[in-house]
Amino acid sequence: MRIVQKFGGTSLAGIARVKATAAIVYDAHQQGHQVAVVVSAMSGETSRMHALSKDISTTAEAREVDVLLATGEQASAALLAMELKRLGVDAFSLTGAQAGIRTDSQFGRANIKTVDSKRLVAAMQAGKLAVITGFQGCDEAGNITTLGRGGSDTSAVAIAIAVDADVCDIYTDVDGIYTTDPRIVACAQKIKKISYEEMLEFASLGAKVLQTRSVGLAMKHGMPIHLRSSFDNIAGSMVCKEDKNMETACVTGVPFNRDEAKITLQGIPDQPGIAAGIFAPIAEAGINVDVIVQNISDHGLTDITFTVTRADYTKTMTMMHQHCLNMKAKQVFGSNDVAKVSIIGVGMKSHAGVAQTMFQTLAQAGINIEMITTSEIKVTVVIEETDVDRAVTLLHTAFGLDASTA
Ligand code: ASP
Ligand code: MG
């Protein structure tokens, strides 16, 4: 098999972990697989360097920030290559640029344009093992660029696609994706196989295990991702194309996100352009809006409610107060103690009444739903944060996701 293995920061945090990681790589290589490895910086390093650059200036030159941040991955790649060599593997490190990763010139959030994989493929075929720095590439002018936080997942998937690997193994400190957070629901189960679409929903709901971009890229090219732990030698979760079996269960998981705040604009004139007017300044400020609900109008007036992350709440409220004055809206109000709970599953496409079961379950528990949105494979409700644990536990049971204790 041809395998690209990616190791995250906790798998490389300190020499003991570098050695444990090298042992995993060594084993795969010994088994006769063609292996290339992508690494991220030791945990905490990227943030530490970010802070250093901020100590110089909060608006430090973006090109130089990238040169600095990219060093974290270089340190891990060199150390892992050294240890693999010591074990007798013909290993060598490569920077993103050396590995042929070309990006655009958006420092700090560059997009990969092409991966020239000739050197990598030749090395793999010759039994050599490249240890490549994730999170970075270089632009046309040869400048070092970085891909945004968590970007080494995307590097790994892009490299796996470019070398036509059979699988991209992403090693992290959790052993897969669970039906919900096991800290809330003890009987949550590992999802053995999850479709890209479902994984994208999980990722966008704050499951931080995989960078969302990497899942989108893998989906586009049909690259299977095996999400697994470098701390345990057990099978993790396979993120892959949807298959028939996946549709038999109507709900795959119950992810939630507490980082939500909601804002309502009440009594705004219902005319073309109102939504555009409200959301333009928010977008300009770089604030992400999540759930949006607009009511039908009454006497030419309507209400719009939307959610943002808690960190953006105060700033958005201030902007909306100003906007309402300009628009002669009746009032603006909001709260930053709401949360979002979703049920996700590709099986929903072929099962009726799934949303109803969700609403019924919450109603029986006296949990008030404040907002609802749906997609083909997801139903999301916004509820009070204090109700989250109860809602998630009840929904997990209602959709038959509890692990049997028998
Ligand atoms: N080291 C980078 C970060 O912390 C990239 C990564 O870990 O994926 O964001
Ligand atoms: Mg990561």
Side-chain angles (χ1 to χ4, degrees), residues 6 9 40-41 46 73 135 148-153:
K6 182 255 164 175
S40 61
T46 310
E73 272 69 14
F135 180 54
R149 297 309 302 268
S152 53
D153 292 338

Side-chain angles (χ1 to χ4, degrees), residues 81-385:
M82 281 175 208
E83 173 62 6
L84 284 165
K85 268 201 164 309
R86 196 185 66 80
L87 295 173
V89 181
D90 194 355
F92 64 106
S93 63
L94 289 177
T95 63
Q98 289 169 338
I101 299 177
R102 291 282 169 282
T103 70
D104 59 24
S105 301
Q106 298 188 66
F107 297 113
R109 54 190 169 96
N111 293 301
I112 297 177
K113 283 169 48 184
T114 55
V115 181
D116 178 358
S117 61
K118 279 195 268 342
R119 183 172 180 182
L120 275 177
V121 171
M124 285 172 117
Q125 282 169 339
K128 296 186 177 146
L129 201 150
V131 183
I132 306 148
T133 55
F135 180 54
Q136 56 167 276
C138 78
D139 70 4
E140 215 135 289
N143 297 304
I144 295 175
T145 53
T146 67
L147 310 181
R149 297 309 302 268
S152 53
D153 292 338
T154 300
S155 309
V157 171
I159 288 170
I161 293 164
V163 303
D164 198 19
D166 295 291
V167 63
C168 181
D169 279 350
I170 297 199
Y171 284 89
T172 174
D173 53 4
V174 294
D175 64 358
I177 182 101
Y178 279 72
T179 47
T180 194
D181 187 343
R183 285 170 299 189
I184 306 292
V185 179
C187 56
Q189 309 181 59
K190 192 193 297 177
I191 307 173
K192 293 198 182 95
K193 229 173 165 192
I194 182 169
S195 71
Y196 296 117
E197 289 87 349
E198 290 167 328
M199 190 62 219
L200 277 175
E201 298 286 5
F202 269 93
S204 68
L205 270 156
K208 296 251 158 53
V209 276
L210 276 180
Q211 200 200 31
T212 312
R213 248 166 94 189
S214 68
V215 184
L217 186 62
M219 176 159 93
K220 196 164 154 208
H221 297 268
M223 174 56 60
I225 297 177
H226 187 182
L227 185 64
R228 55 192 304 186
S229 166
S230 69
F231 294 76
D232 283 306
N233 187 14
I234 50 172
S237 298
M238 205 64 170
V239 188
C240 53
K241 282 198 186 112
E242 177 183 334
D243 65 32
K244 290 214 175 58
N245 292 339
M246 289 179 178
E247 287 207 14
T248 54
C250 64
V251 172
T252 310
V254 189
F256 58 90
N257 189 351
R258 297 180 198 274
D259 186 15
E260 297 278 326
K262 79 169 179 179
I263 295 171
T264 301
L265 277 72
Q266 200 182 40
I268 40 179
D270 190 11
Q271 300 153 354
I274 48 149
I278 291 170
F279 295 114
I282 300 179
E284 263 161 43
I287 294 171
N288 268 327
V289 174
D290 190 10
V291 183
I292 304 175
V293 173
Q294 180 183 348
N295 290 350
I296 53 160
S297 64
D298 184 18
H299 296 96
L301 295 177
T302 187
D303 312 324
I304 285 188
T305 304
F306 60 92
T307 65
V308 294
T309 63
R310 289 187 188 167
D312 288 331
Y313 177 65
T314 315
K315 192 169 167 196
T316 315
M317 274 299 258
T318 311
M319 285 164 60
M320 289 301 102
H321 274 299
Q322 187 52 46
H323 192 71
C324 272
L325 283 180
N326 301 343
M327 277 199 334
K328 304 193 174 51
K330 280 207 182 114
Q331 56 172 334
V332 181
F333 52 86
S335 64
N336 63 358
D337 51 8
V338 293
K340 202 166 67 166
V341 175
S342 299
I343 51 171
I344 285 171
V346 287
M348 265 182 222
K349 292 187 213 167
S350 51
H351 286 76
V354 179
Q356 179 53 22
T357 304
M358 179 184 206
F359 303 151
Q360 196 70 45
T361 306
L362 297 175
Q364 275 163 3
I367 296 171
N368 187 39
I369 301 172
E370 301 187 16
M371 298 165 86
I372 303 173
T373 63
T374 63
S375 78
E376 217 184 6
I377 63 160
K378 180 177 77 169
V379 183
T380 297
V381 296
V382 174
I383 59 175
E384 263 179 38
E385 199 206 326

